[in-house]
Each structure stands twice: as structure tokens, then as C-alpha cells.
């Protein structure tokens, strides 16, 4: 059979997809893929987001010409996503920065000038001069670095050394502060340690998936693809999607719910109340592992003390835990009835009840997913805590297929924030 | 010159219907998987314009009945059209 190079490459592409999907294609479609395509394949990590996919990069004549998801990678199992498509592209993009640029007017540095290419020597001289002037005028508090979750851990380490040991300043703010502070607050308050439990294998083990505002279809496409596969092949599997607007995940939703912004707190407390009213809590797990605390409310928003919102708050800046018992906790959430949750959220009662039942059913493994909608909420710490409450009441936590799972977006947010500052410092 | 393969998830009962819709896009072919709801799709371009293939992939995601679109393999070599269409065996 005569074959062009294009047909040959295409057959390889089809064979790779069919193999990952477990779809059998006619032999005639695939036989063209046999043979050597002259491409050398090497393993690499996709650096775009926090999912952690492995990719294979194909090199020909010293240049990256092809990429595919690594079929042996436990995270992405051969899948790649649209962002991965750009991995080879960015290596050769015409707008890549290849030399230092400095804003200049008439050959001298000027903040309002236009970018000009300069030597590394000149770039470092100007930077050193400006850092020194700021340090001399105002001391270490006048300098700082904003880090990135796209930094490698090594870059984060170098930045940490530079700002702390070199410039004697503490002003190093990582991506994690902006992105995940409330998730960390939730973890610390609930568990005393900051790291998500659960793992990606839950995507195949769960019976029920609940998306608390996460738009996994667009933001975590690899994980969404695994979730989709489970939903379409596992009998009885359900997907509940909570969001303030309709997005791509609704295509797969068995229980789609649009709620009024901020009322997710009421929905979570309603679910806890439902579980208690129907005695669907796991007494044994609670006795062994759960303490009940009530937090101070009306705490303001963490703004400067002179801000009107802080001045209006009765307990601004406070957040003390007060130990309570199960009965007192039950009483606290008892006001969140189905009627109240429905009135506040605008979600139809049957949808809310279906969600609560899924969590309450002792025979269903439930995994909850959320991302920045919950973590960057004005009540992010509380909202994280309220979802933990549901999982702790039912004991559906740290079990295969069951658990609360805060999804992240950056490859090294925690890496640069914690490993560089605490472990290596 | 770009050639990509994708898996497009649909509800299995909509596989044939969605497959027909995908094939209305230029450069898109469905090779199988209709009955499993896992369509094996290729997207190709001729390389003359800047990256229309990524626009096509994004557009496929928005087709009614598509649950998930996932890239598997991408080839993006820069050989000429003549070279890529030459017979190799």
C-alpha cells in the first residue's frame, strides 16, 4: 500500500487515541501506523497547571515536532489537553523573550520610556542600583518579590535565599498566598495541617461526584475526562454540579444547580442538617475522630482597621474556636431547613434534597471537588470548613472514592511556598 | 502542518449524532468509537494560517452533546506540503 508521510503520521495519531480510549478500530485504519516515523520520544512534565501530567515529546532533527500524553503516567493515562498542545509551540514562538529589555529614554533608564534591548551586565547594574537605593532609603521593608506558581521549586528556593539572606527582607509573597490562603486556613482549622487528602484514583472509585463551583470541564480537562469516563461506564454513578452560572460541566450533570452567589454556605449547612435530622451520620467515626467547635461570627473581611466594613463588624479580626458538643452543633445548623436553603439559594427543593441524600446515603462513595470559587470566596475558610463538616459527619473522608478535594491550578504553588521556605530554609 | 488526535466524549446514545456534527468542521474526521461515546477524532490543518487548529479544537468542545474533548497526540512539523504529501513506501 502506498502511503504519504501525512497519512503515516495521522495513523499514528489515531492509533494513540484509540489505544488510550480502549476503542477497537478496523485493522485497515491502523496498519499504516506500523513502521519508524524518525521521531525520538522522550518523557517530560507538563508545566502548565497543577494537575501533574506526564507528556512524551517527539524530537526530529533537533527540534520538537510532536507531543502526546504519556500512556504510562498514572495521572493522565495517555491523555493530554489543549494546553498541552501549546507545549512545543511556546519553545519556538516568535515573541519569546530572548534578551533583557530595559525601558529607556535617550539611552538612559526611564520608567516611562520604551523597551530597548540591553546587555545582561547593564540589566544587572540597573537592578542592583535600584535595589540598593530602595534599601538605603527605607530599609528591608521597601523591597519585595512576588513569586509565581509557575516558578520551578529551584527558582523559588533561589528567590527565597536572595530576598531573605541577601536583602534581609521578609517580603516574599508566593502565588499560594493569593491563590490558596483560605484553603490553607480551612485545612489548618479543620485538620491542623495543610494538604489535601484524597487522590486522583478517587475519580474511578467514587459513586457520586459533587462539583462545588469547580468548572472541571474547562479548567481541569484531564481530570474531567477521567470523571466523564467513570460517569458513563459505572452503573449508578451521579454527577452533581453547583455553580453560580451554567458552564460546560452541566452537559454531564445529573443534578444541575445554579445558586445565588454566597448561598453555598447555606446549602452546605442544610446538607449537614439533613444528615443529622435523618440520623445518617457515622457515630462510630465521630466518636473516634471528630471534635465540634463553633467559630466566632461577624468577623469582618480581613481589611485594614479603618475600612468601613471592618468598623461595622462586631468581631473584626477575631475567629476564635469555641468547643461545643454534637448537640449544640446540631442546634446551630438546625435553622438551615430545606425551605430556608431553597429560599436563599434559589435552587429547587428537589435538587437540594437529591444532593443531601447522595451525601447521606451510607452506601455511596462521594467525592467533592472545588477550586477558586470556594477558595477565593469572601468566606472561603468557612466554606471549606462547611464541606469538611459534611464529610466528617458521614465519615466519607480518606476512603477510596470518598473525600473532600480542593483542586489547584499551579504546578508549584505549594512547592515554592512551603518547601522553599520551611524545609530548605 | 498540524495533525492532532483527540478523544471526544459524548453520551453513547448520541455518538452518531455528535460525530456527524463534528465532521462538518473543516479538517475534522471521526474514525470510530461512536457506540462507546468515545469518538476517535483527527483535526488537521494545512499550516498556512496561524494556529486555526486550536480554534477548531475549542469549537468542538462547544458542540451540543460533547461532554469532554481531550487531546492525545499532536504533530506540528514544519516540512513543506510537498514533503508531507510525498509517498514514503
Amino acid at each position: 500500500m502506498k502511503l504519504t508521510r501525512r497519512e503515516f503520521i495521522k495513523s499514528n495519531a489515531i492509533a494513540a487515541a484509540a489505544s488510550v480510549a480502549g476503542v477497537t478500530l478496523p485493522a485497515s485504519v491502523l496498519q499504516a501506523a506500523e513502521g519508524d516515523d524518525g521521531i525520538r520520544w522522550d518523557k517530560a512534565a507538563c508545566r502548565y497547571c497543577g494537575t501533574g501530567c506526564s507528556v512524551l515529546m517527539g524530537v526530529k532533527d533537533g527540534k520538537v515536532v510532536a507531543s502526546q500524553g504519556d500512556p504510562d503516567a498514572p495521572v493522565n493515562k495517555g491523555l493530554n489537553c489543549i494546553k498541552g498542545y501549546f507545549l512545543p509551540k511556546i519553545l519556538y514562538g516568535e515573541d519569546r523573550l530572548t534578551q533583557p529589555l530595559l525601558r529607556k529614554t535617550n539611552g538612559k533608564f526611564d520608567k516611562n520610556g520604551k523597551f530597548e534591548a540591553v546587555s545582561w551586565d547593564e540589566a544587572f547594574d540597573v537592578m542592583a542600583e535600584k535595589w540598593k537605593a530602595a534599601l538605603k532609603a527605607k530599609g528591608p521593608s521597601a523591597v519585595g518579590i512576588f513569586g509565581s506558581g509557575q516558578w520551578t521549586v529551584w527558582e523559588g528556593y533561589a528567590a527565597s535565599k536572595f530576598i531573605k539572606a541577601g536583602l534581609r527582607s521578609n517580603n516574599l509573597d508566593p502565588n499560594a498566598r493569593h491563590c490558596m490562603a483560605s484553603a490553607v486556613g480551612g485545612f489548618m482549622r479543620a485538620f491542623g495541617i495543610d494538604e489535601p487528602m484524597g487522590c486522583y484514583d478517587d475519580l474511578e472509585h467514587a459513586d457520586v461526584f459533587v462539583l462545588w463551583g469547580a468548572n472541571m470541564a474547562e479548567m481541569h480537562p484531564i481530570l474531567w475526562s477521567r470523571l466523564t469516563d467513570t460517569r458513563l461506564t459505572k452503573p449508578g454513578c451521579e454527577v452533581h454540579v453547583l455553580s453560580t452560572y451554567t458552564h460546560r460541566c452541566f452537559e454531564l450533570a445529573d443534578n444541575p444547580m445554579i445558586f445565588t452567589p454566597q448561598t453555598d454556605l447555606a446549602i452546605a449547612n442544610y446538607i449537614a442538617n439533613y444528615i443529622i435530622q435523618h440520623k445518617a451520620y457515622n457515630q462510630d467515626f465521630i466518636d473516634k475522630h471528630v471534635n465540634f467547635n463553633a467559630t466566632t461570627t461577624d468577623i469582618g473581611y480581613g481589611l485594614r482597621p479603618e475600612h468601613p466594613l471592618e468598623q461595622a463588624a462586631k468581631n473584626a479580626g477575631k475567629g476564635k474556636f469555641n468547643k461545643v458538643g454534637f448537640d449544640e452543633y446540631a442546634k446551630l445548623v438546625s435553622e438551615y431547613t430545606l425551605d430556608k436553603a431553597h429560599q436563599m439559594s434559589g435552587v429547587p427543593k428537589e435538587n437540594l434534597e437529591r444532593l443531601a441524600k447522595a451525601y447521606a446515603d451510607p452506601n455511596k462513595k462521594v467525592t467533592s471537588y472545588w477550586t477558586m470559587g470556594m477558595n477565593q470566596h469572601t468566606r472561603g475558610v468557612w466554606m471549606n470548613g462547611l464541606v469538611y463538616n459534611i464529610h466528617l459527619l458521614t465519615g466519607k473522608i480518606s476512603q477510596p472514592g470518598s473525600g473532600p478535594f480542593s483542586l489547584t491550578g499551579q504546578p508549584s504553588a505549594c512547592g515554592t511556598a512551603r518547601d522553599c521556605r520551611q524545609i530548605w530554609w | 502542518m498540524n495533525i492532532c488526535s483527540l478523544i471526544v466524549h459524548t453520551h453513547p446514545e448520541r455518538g452518531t449524532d455528535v460525530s456527524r456534527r463534528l465532521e462538518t468542521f473543516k479538517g475534522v474526521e471521526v474514525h470510530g468509537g461512536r457506540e462507546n461515546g468515545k469518538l476517535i477524532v483527527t483535526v488537521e490543518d494545512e499550516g498556512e494560517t496561524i494556529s486555526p487548529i486550536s480554534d477548531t479544537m475549542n469549537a468542538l468542545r462547544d458542540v451540543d452533546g460533547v461532554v469532554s474533548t481531550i487531546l492525545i497526540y499532536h504533530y506540528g512539523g514544519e516540512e513543506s506540503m510537498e514533503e508531507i504529501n510525498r509517498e514514503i513506501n
Side-chain angles (χ1 to χ4, degrees), chain A residues 112-396:
Chain A
N112 302 311
K114 289 213 157 57
F115 279 123
E116 285 179 31
V118 295
S119 68
W120 280 104
D121 276 348
E122 187 178 350
F124 278 118
D125 283 348
V126 173
M127 284 193 283
E129 184 193 317
K130 299 294 166 194
W131 284 94
K132 278 183 186 166
L135 282 165
K136 198 173 176 191
K138 294 181 183 168
S141 67
V143 295
I145 298 181
F146 282 115
S148 162
Q150 295 276 329
W151 263 350
T152 61
V153 168
W154 298 273
E155 286 165 337
Y157 176 65
S160 184
K161 284 280 189 202
F162 170 60
I163 192 83
K164 293 188 174 185
L167 306 186
R168 298 283 175 189
S169 171
N170 236 348
N171 295 348
L172 174 62
D173 242 350
N175 156 274
R177 176 105 59 213
H178 311 294
C179 179
M180 298 291 291
S182 52
V184 172
F187 278 131
M188 295 305 287
R189 283 170 76 95
F191 305 105
I193 192 166
D194 157 35
E195 209 55 59
M197 62 231 76
C199 67
Y200 292 153
D201 285 357
D202 295 334
L203 288 160
E204 283 80 30
H205 287 287
D207 302 310
V208 176
F209 297 101
V210 183
L211 271 51
W212 288 88
N215 178 1
M216 289 175 76
E218 286 174 275
M219 301 308 151
H220 290 92
I222 299 292
L223 305 182
W224 179 247
S225 181
R226 286 178 59 175
L227 188 157
T228 299
D229 218 25
T230 304
R231 166 61 187 80
L232 296 180
T233 54
K234 189 177 194 175
C237 178
E238 287 179 17
V239 179
H240 300 249
V241 180
L242 284 151
S243 174
T244 54
Y245 67 99
T246 306
H247 53 66
R248 295 299 308 166
C249 299
F250 282 73
E251 189 72 50
L252 193 68
D254 297 289
N255 187 17
M257 289 164 280
I258 304 282
F259 65 91
T260 306
Q262 311 283 352
T263 63
D264 41 354
L265 295 124
I267 294 172
N269 272 332
Y270 154 68
I271 296 168
N273 186 29
Y274 179 96
I275 289 165
I276 293 168
Q277 299 299 328
H278 291 79
K279 302 211 181 314
Y281 46 84
N282 182 335
Q283 190 68 57
D284 182 50
F285 184 87
I286 291 172
D287 290 344
K288 282 187 186 144
H289 306 292
V290 182
N291 287 307
F292 291 88
N293 286 286
T295 185
T296 311
T297 55
D298 198 7
I299 55 170
Y301 296 88
L303 301 164
R304 291 196 170 90
E306 63 273 19
H307 195 286
L309 285 171
E310 294 306 290
Q311 295 193 336
K314 214 188 295 169
N315 303 307
K318 300 197 173 89
K320 197 174 170 280
F321 264 168
N322 301 301
K323 208 165 170 47
V324 294
F326 175 82
D327 294 339
E328 208 173 326
Y329 167 71
K331 206 174 141 210
L332 281 169
V333 294
S334 65
E335 67 170 288
Y336 293 94
T337 59
L338 179 58
D339 284 336
K340 181 165 178 159
H342 159 68
Q343 277 160 16
M344 290 182 76
S345 67
V347 178
K349 287 183 195 175
E350 58 268 30
N351 296 72
L352 288 172
E353 208 163 19
R354 185 172 175 186
L355 175 63
K357 271 185 183 159
Y359 275 112
D361 186 336
N363 298 315
K364 280 186 176 158
K365 290 175 276 182
V366 188
T367 297
S368 305
Y369 289 109
W370 66 90
T371 318
M372 296 309 137
M374 193 191 285
N375 291 340
Q376 295 176 4
H377 200 293
T378 48
R379 288 286 175 251
V381 175
W382 288 3
M383 193 52 220
N384 274 261
L386 296 184
V387 174
Y388 295 141
N389 289 351
I390 298 168
H391 285 273
L392 288 168
L393 277 173
T394 51
K396 294 184 182 187

Side-chain angles (χ1 to χ4, degrees), chain A residues 101-118:
Chain A
L101 301 176
L102 186 66
R103 287 189 187 277
K104 279 184 167 182
T105 306
N106 298 326
K108 287 201 119 182
F109 168 70
D110 175 14
K111 244 168 123 168
N112 302 311
K114 289 213 157 57
F115 279 123
E116 285 179 31
V118 295

Side-chain angles (χ1 to χ4, degrees), chain A residues 3 10 65 67 80 85 248, chain B residues 29 53 61 71 74 76 88:
Chain A
L3 198 67
K10 201 164 142 184
V65 294
S67 65
N80 204 342
Y85 166 77
R248 295 299 308 166
Chain B
E29 279 177 70
I53 196 169
R61 198 184 60 194
L71 180 70
H74 168 231
I88 54 170

Side-chain angles (χ1 to χ4, degrees), chain B:
Chain B
M1 163 80 220
N2 287 291
I3 300 173
C4 286
S5 65
L6 304 111
I7 299 172
V8 175
H9 276 107
T10 72
H11 287 282
E13 63 276 15
R14 299 192 62 185
T16 308
D17 163 43
V18 170
S19 160
R20 212 171 290 137
R21 264 180 246 204
L22 298 184
E23 290 196 301
T24 61
F25 287 85
K26 195 164 171 275
V28 173
E29 279 177 70
V30 180
H31 303 275
R34 291 173 185 84
E35 58 292 339
N36 314 57
K38 289 183 198 177
L39 306 177
I40 306 302
V41 177
T42 49
V43 186
E44 292 172 78
D45 68 14
E46 299 294 330
E48 288 115 3
T49 44
I50 306 247
S51 213
I53 196 169
S54 54
D55 293 345
T56 309
M57 285 192 278
N58 275 328
L60 297 185
R61 198 184 60 194
D62 294 334
V63 168
D64 185 35
V66 169
V67 175
S68 148
T69 309
I70 209 86
L71 180 70
I72 302 297
Y73 185 106
H74 168 231
Y75 178 82
E78 285 174 355
E79 57 270 79
S80 66
M81 279 305 115
E82 192 198 343
E83 218 175 316
I84 195 106
N85 288 322
R86 191 182 301 148
E87 287 181 352
I88 54 170
N89 61 348

